Amino acid sequence: MIVLRSTLFWIMASLLTIPYGFALAGLSLVPLKIRYAVVAGWRRSFMFLVRYVLGVRMVVRGLENVPDYPVIIFAKHQSAWETVALQEIFHPVVLVLKQELLRIPFFGWGLASLKMISIDRNSGKEALRQIVTQGRERLGVGLNIIIFPEGTRVAPGEYRRYKPGAAYLACKTGTQVLPLAHNAGEIWPRKALLVRSGTITVSIGPLIDTAGKREAEINHLAETWIEGEMRQLSPRFYPDAAPEAASPDAAPGR
């Protein structure tokens, strides 16, 4: 069943994305609000396929921590799932992503029209300047920003140092940070096309006030909460997690 469901999903998702990619590319000069309305249709249709074709559900904890003003979300990155699903929780929102993604036919065209923050990851300090310049403008027009501080998808239980870009943006703009953990990688592997059915749990932490804090402190606070929460969501991948931390909601299906 997993092969059949996954194959059907990717075919349907591709057929869904092509017309939306053309539409968004053609609407590049219309107001951003209209473009976001168009992409909302694609996102809801995509998540419908995720739910009813793949059998993947989402449970969200900590919604009471989400404010009604723009923030920077430091999110765990394990799969392709969260790049779409988190936009259902935080909207309007942009993601920080590598420039190469904008060159993907149809999908990349859509991203390019939505004022995503695109950076050249090989440009060192210039990448940080790109994040701040674009990020300040996006926050100024009321957009939330999702950043994956690990910089790439990381398998459950593995650790990768949190990069400074997200904290640098928060520090330079004085924007509060919302840490976010999830266990999508248990169901939707980072480099696999086969997706298991089950429930993905998203956990949103308390706001981190960045006033008077340096980048390193902001990064440390966000990383400490996220990595600690991962031990609650995916205890079997962390040998140091408490046995009672296991959550039935996080168990993938067959």
Side-chain angles (χ1 to χ4, degrees):
M1 283 297 291
I2 185 174
V3 175
L4 178 60
R5 284 198 307 263
S6 297
T7 301
L8 181 60
F9 168 78
W10 289 115
I11 291 173
M12 295 178 72
S14 298
L15 293 175
L16 170 70
T17 301
I18 290 172
Y20 273 100
F22 274 121
L24 286 169
L27 294 173
S28 58
L29 298 180
V30 305
L32 187 61
K33 182 181 294 187
I34 295 177
R35 282 175 271 161
Y36 267 90
V38 172
V39 81
W42 173 86
R43 186 180 66 247
R44 294 185 186 115
S45 299
F46 183 91
M47 294 304 294
F48 179 89
L49 296 178
V50 169
R51 170 67 180 86
Y52 293 102
V53 177
L54 290 177
V56 176
R57 301 169 180 82
M58 175 172 63
V59 171
V60 183
R61 303 172 180 171
L63 281 173
E64 67 277 5
N65 294 322
V66 181
D68 58 359
Y69 50 83
V71 293
I72 301 172
I73 298 101
F74 283 35
K76 190 72 175 174
H77 199 14
Q78 293 186 338
S79 72
W81 175 87
E82 58 266 19
T83 62
V84 178
L86 296 186
Q87 297 181 56
E88 286 282 278
I89 304 171
F90 306 99
H91 53 80
V93 64
V94 295
L95 286 77
V96 176
L97 44 81
K98 55 186 179 182
Q99 290 178 343
E100 303 92 282
L101 291 178
L102 302 184
R103 294 194 286 269
I104 298 175
F106 310 113
F107 181 75
W109 303 346
L111 291 176
S113 73
L114 296 173
K115 296 179 72 68
M116 297 292 177
I117 299 174
S118 61
I119 60 170
D120 178 1
R121 296 196 301 183
N122 297 317
S123 62
K125 291 184 178 179
E126 177 57 30
L128 292 177
R129 285 192 284 269
Q130 292 171 3
I131 289 175
V132 172
T133 300
Q134 296 179 61
R136 180 175 284 118
E137 190 275 333
R138 305 307 191 266
L139 291 165
V141 296
L143 299 173
N144 293 295
I145 298 175
I146 294 176
I147 302 183
F148 303 112
E150 293 159 302
T152 189
R153 287 172 282 184
V154 179
E158 293 184 6
Y159 174 78
R160 183 177 289 263
R161 183 179 64 85
Y162 283 39
K163 296 184 177 182
Y168 187 77
L169 173 61
C171 185
K172 292 298 182 182
T173 60
T175 306
Q176 291 182 309
V177 165
L178 204 59
L180 182 148
H182 61 81
N183 61 343
E186 293 190 48
I187 291 174
W188 196 306
R190 56 178 179 159
K191 293 183 179 180
L193 294 177
L194 298 181
V195 180
R196 294 189 294 272
S197 62
T199 299
I200 295 173
T201 301
V202 175
S203 184
I204 304 168
L207 278 169
I208 298 173
D209 188 358
T210 61
K213 294 183 177 66
R214 300 176 65 87
E215 298 100 285
E217 184 180 1
I218 295 169
N219 229 8
H220 175 72
L221 289 171
E223 179 179 343
T224 298
W225 188 91
I226 293 170
E227 295 302 316
E229 189 67 8
M230 288 307 304
R231 285 158 171 76
Q232 304 296 314
L233 298 177
S234 302
R236 68 190 180 94
F237 289 97
Y238 296 89
D240 58 338
E244 62 271 18
S247 168
D249 290 334
R254 296 183 181 274

